[in-house]
Amino acid sequence: MSVAESQATSAKLNAKTPSGPLEERWQKYKDHVSLVNPNNKRKHTILVVGTGLAGASAAASLAELGYNVKSFCLQDSPRRAHSIAAQGGINAAKNYQNDGDSIWRLFYDTIKGGDYRSREGNVHRLAELSVNIIDQCVAQGVPFAREYGGMLDNRSFGGAQVKRTFYARGQTGQQLLLGAYSALMRQVDAGRVELYARREMLDLVTVKGKARGIVCRNLITGELESYSGDAVLLTTGGYGNVYFLSTNAKNANVTAAWRCHKRGAMFANPCYTQIHPTCIPVSGDYQSKLTLMSESLRNDGRVWVPKQQGDTRPPQQIPEEERDYYLERKYPSFGNLVPRDVASRNSKEVCDEGFGVGETRLSVYLDFAQRAQEYGIDYIKDKYGNLFDMYERITGENPYETPMRIYPAVHYTMGGLWVDYELMSNIPGLFVLGEANFSDHGANRLGASALMQGLADGYFVIPYTLGNYIANNTFDDVSETDGDFADVRNEAESQLQKLLSIQGDKTVSEYHRELGLLAWDHIGMSRNAAGLQKVQGQIKQLEEEFWQNVKIPGSPNMLNNNLEMASRVADYFELAKVMAKDALMREESCGGHFREEYQTPEGEALRNDEEFNYVAAWEYKGKADPVMHRENLDFEFVTPSTRSYK
């Protein structure tokens, strides 16, 4: 892109970040934001798509304020949203341990952990709101772990040298979601939220340039349904399932966000994918997903491999002097608590060099023997018991007796729909919260910050920013049967009919698996220019075959899981091509995006701030190549530097 083009297109991306001292910006925004009086809030209907932490907290908060809310849930109950899978904890700068934590330090750790590829204003707001989230959740009855004296307990997570992570054993996401779910269902009972379960958003409806509605498919009956409102909140999570094998629930998908993208919403930093270092390794082709072992385990577990290549001895027979605790050796300041991208890259490296363990040699040990010897088995059981039970059920191995085997896997996506400071996309009235947006994590998410972002967006940000949008706009009456809605519905129906008409020979899962393998090999943990150029053609060729040869039994007017998955995989093909373009364009190693051509002599990521210190936001252009727009990142309060955890 030329300088002229860059200057012309960047005008489309106005971040709307307030000016002034960093610590005063959010308060300044709240002090001057336009308000909607309580009686007028009742006149407005808000559509909230998704019921995870961001969606449930937003729907409950807006209904409490007086808005009419319609909430759409992919599952049979909001309690089944994928937020329940988050295990380890949620960050907050409470500094209960008096160990040096502060809002500024949480802000700095998050900016640094994201490799200086996120906005200062957004991240500082997130750090500020973190302290409120804990109070909110405690008031809801979330059973956070407590110390002997009754105070809330904390543990450490990667990328930080303080204890700031609040937790509920290894099921923090589930407990936080139950808190948000209870707040949501209170509003459902009060009649201020209408809950629509088993609906999948297939498209966005815009009227006169504003987001005014959605088209959904009833997953039980197959019927297409239209819903109108004055704003749409998208809270549908990330797109990690493009890789087929990931820690995401199989129903988690990108369709809602991608269809908004095709209606004009920019998709930002699509190549920024987080690889989690602590997952149960792949065991066979029969698997459809991977299982996460919480990062919190690295508080007490030590990561190691044998010093001898190809060592097949059981771990108990390998003496201490023949073990390589490679994270402790290479990063003495942080040890096993380096950020996820650093831990993942080093685990892959030792396995690639022949030091991996297990049948596939693609795993490393996570060993709790030392901590158990120091504090006793009961200490481990109290803190991590449900995680150890889960590991044993899946692997058949007792982790109290033999070290866990772990390997990196796709977990979270930092990319997503572009949003400004108000969490609004470039389509007026379309707000994007939680993992579905790109905003707060840069090129790598620090552990325990996804739950923080989802709840901050839903409980504390959107009530102000949505109100500002409502107060400063007028809304014509729209009908769910008018031309705009009818056109979008017809397009959604045509695509479903097109998929069903193919009647080929290969299943949806076969195509999804092949696409996922291409994405993992070339747009996954490690990437290079040759592979990225090659994979774009391979994805296109596989996509063409998919549209000619996929086999989908059944009809559209029924419960049809194959049709659901085919519709989602069709979107994954389109997304994967943009991911490869984005990764090829970014000629640097940054956070979880490791380009083999750009690394230091020590093998660490080599960033290029001079040329790539910006957010890449892609505009959909139909059959033509997408157009990239830049939002330059200006750092006024921190100085980007080479990340070091040594």
Side-chain angles (χ1 to χ4, degrees), residues 108-237:
Y108 178 76
D109 286 346
T110 306
I111 285 281
K112 175 185 175 183
D115 228 347
Y116 305 96
R117 290 294 179 263
S118 47
R119 295 190 198 119
E120 288 182 324
N122 285 66
V123 177
H124 196 276
R125 176 176 65 186
L126 179 63
E128 290 177 60
L129 294 175
S130 69
V131 298
N132 298 339
I133 295 170
I134 303 304
D135 297 338
Q136 170 86 5
C137 294
V138 169
Q140 290 175 335
V142 173
F144 286 122
R146 294 180 180 269
E147 296 176 334
Y148 179 77
M151 294 291 291
L152 296 182
D153 195 12
N154 289 122
R155 55 190 177 200
S156 300
F157 258 59
Q161 291 183 303
V162 297
K163 288 186 175 182
R164 65 161 68 103
T165 303
F166 295 76
Y167 65 98
R169 296 189 75 188
Q171 50 183 242
T172 312
Q174 180 177 358
Q175 297 302 327
L176 291 172
L177 184 62
L178 287 173
Y181 167 76
S182 66
L184 171 63
M185 297 310 292
R186 176 175 176 268
Q187 297 303 320
V188 171
D189 184 63
R192 289 189 285 267
V193 173
E194 291 183 66
L195 180 61
Y196 297 86
R198 299 296 284 148
R199 264 73 170 187
E200 180 167 22
M201 176 179 164
L202 294 184
D203 218 329
L204 177 75
V205 181
T206 59
V207 179
K208 296 182 179 178
K210 297 177 183 175
R212 295 301 305 273
I214 61 175
V215 171
C216 294
R217 181 171 182 267
N218 184 317
L219 298 180
I220 303 299
T221 67
E223 181 182 359
L224 295 187
E225 303 168 346
S226 300
Y227 299 91
S228 62
D230 297 321
V232 176
L233 273 59
L234 200 70
T235 67
T236 51

Side-chain angles (χ1 to χ4, degrees), residues 578-590:
V578 182
M579 290 172 66
K581 287 183 180 294
D582 191 48
L584 182 61
M585 169 280 300
R586 196 167 283 277
E587 296 178 340
E588 63 170 353
S589 288
C590 188

Side-chain angles (χ1 to χ4, degrees), residues 338-360:
V338 292
R340 291 175 176 178
D341 61 321
V342 177
S344 295
R345 190 160 57 249
N346 278 272
S347 293
K348 179 180 185 298
E349 182 178 292
V350 295
C351 290
D352 289 347
E353 292 173 351
F355 297 98
V357 300
E359 291 184 10
T360 64

Side-chain angles (χ1 to χ4, degrees), residues 5-277:
E5 288 175 317
S6 175
Q7 292 173 343
T9 57
S10 63
K12 292 188 176 183
L13 301 177
N14 179 9
K16 300 180 187 174
T17 305
S19 59
L22 187 61
E23 65 276 8
E24 297 176 8
R25 289 181 175 183
W26 177 233
Q27 188 62 50
K28 177 181 177 181
Y29 176 89
K30 292 191 292 182
D31 288 344
H32 296 88
V33 73
S34 297
L35 302 177
V36 182
N37 82 56
N39 288 329
N40 285 341
K41 287 173 184 170
R42 299 185 182 96
K43 301 175 184 178
H44 295 281
T45 296
I46 312 301
L47 309 182
V48 181
V49 185
T51 56
L53 286 180
S57 60
S61 299
L62 295 176
E64 185 78 42
L65 289 171
Y67 294 102
N68 299 305
V69 176
K70 293 183 179 180
S71 175
F72 299 87
C73 175
L74 186 69
Q75 301 82 6
D76 58 346
S77 166
R79 289 174 299 174
R80 295 185 184 275
H82 189 55
S83 298
I84 66 168
Q87 299 166 342
I90 176 171
N91 287 330
K94 285 288 196 180
N95 194 30
Y96 283 161
Q97 275 69 33
N98 198 30
D99 58 356
D101 202 10
S102 65
I103 289 173
W104 173 265
R105 195 173 294 277
L106 175 53
F107 155 74
Y108 178 76
D109 286 346
T110 306
I111 285 281
K112 175 185 175 183
D115 228 347
Y116 305 96
R117 290 294 179 263
S118 47
R119 295 190 198 119
E120 288 182 324
N122 285 66
V123 177
H124 196 276
R125 176 176 65 186
L126 179 63
E128 290 177 60
L129 294 175
S130 69
V131 298
N132 298 339
I133 295 170
I134 303 304
D135 297 338
Q136 170 86 5
C137 294
V138 169
Q140 290 175 335
V142 173
F144 286 122
R146 294 180 180 269
E147 296 176 334
Y148 179 77
M151 294 291 291
L152 296 182
D153 195 12
N154 289 122
R155 55 190 177 200
S156 300
F157 258 59
Q161 291 183 303
V162 297
K163 288 186 175 182
R164 65 161 68 103
T165 303
F166 295 76
Y167 65 98
R169 296 189 75 188
Q171 50 183 242
T172 312
Q174 180 177 358
Q175 297 302 327
L176 291 172
L177 184 62
L178 287 173
Y181 167 76
S182 66
L184 171 63
M185 297 310 292
R186 176 175 176 268
Q187 297 303 320
V188 171
D189 184 63
R192 289 189 285 267
V193 173
E194 291 183 66
L195 180 61
Y196 297 86
R198 299 296 284 148
R199 264 73 170 187
E200 180 167 22
M201 176 179 164
L202 294 184
D203 218 329
L204 177 75
V205 181
T206 59
V207 179
K208 296 182 179 178
K210 297 177 183 175
R212 295 301 305 273
I214 61 175
V215 171
C216 294
R217 181 171 182 267
N218 184 317
L219 298 180
I220 303 299
T221 67
E223 181 182 359
L224 295 187
E225 303 168 346
S226 300
Y227 299 91
S228 62
D230 297 321
V232 176
L233 273 59
L234 200 70
T235 67
T236 51
Y239 49 90
N241 270 334
V242 69
Y243 292 92
F244 187 75
L245 285 179
S246 77
T247 66
N248 290 264
K250 285 305 294 181
N251 277 339
N253 65 84
V254 76
T255 288
W258 190 253
R259 303 293 170 85
C260 290
H261 171 60
K262 295 176 77 169
R263 293 292 172 190
M266 304 276 190
F267 208 105
N269 296 339
C271 80
Y272 280 168
T273 302
Q274 180 171 78
I275 311 296
H276 197 294

Side-chain angles (χ1 to χ4, degrees), residues 574-644:
E574 296 181 356
L575 168 63
K577 290 184 291 186
V578 182
M579 290 172 66
K581 287 183 180 294
D582 191 48
L584 182 61
M585 169 280 300
R586 196 167 283 277
E587 296 178 340
E588 63 170 353
S589 288
C590 188
H593 170 212
F594 192 72
R595 282 286 294 271
E596 295 168 4
E597 306 95 323
Y598 306 101
Q599 53 183 299
T600 67
E602 297 80 22
E604 302 292 346
L606 184 61
R607 223 175 48 239
N608 183 348
D609 292 334
E610 185 174 342
E611 296 186 49
F612 296 99
N613 190 23
Y614 59 79
V615 175
W618 295 85
E619 181 182 5
Y620 182 74
K621 288 293 186 180
K623 293 183 179 180
D625 287 340
V627 173
M628 190 194 77
H629 301 265
R630 302 185 186 194
E631 179 202 335
N632 292 325
L633 294 169
D634 298 317
F635 291 96
E636 302 175 60
F637 303 94
V638 298
T639 302
S641 58
T642 300
R643 273 200 309 164
S644 175

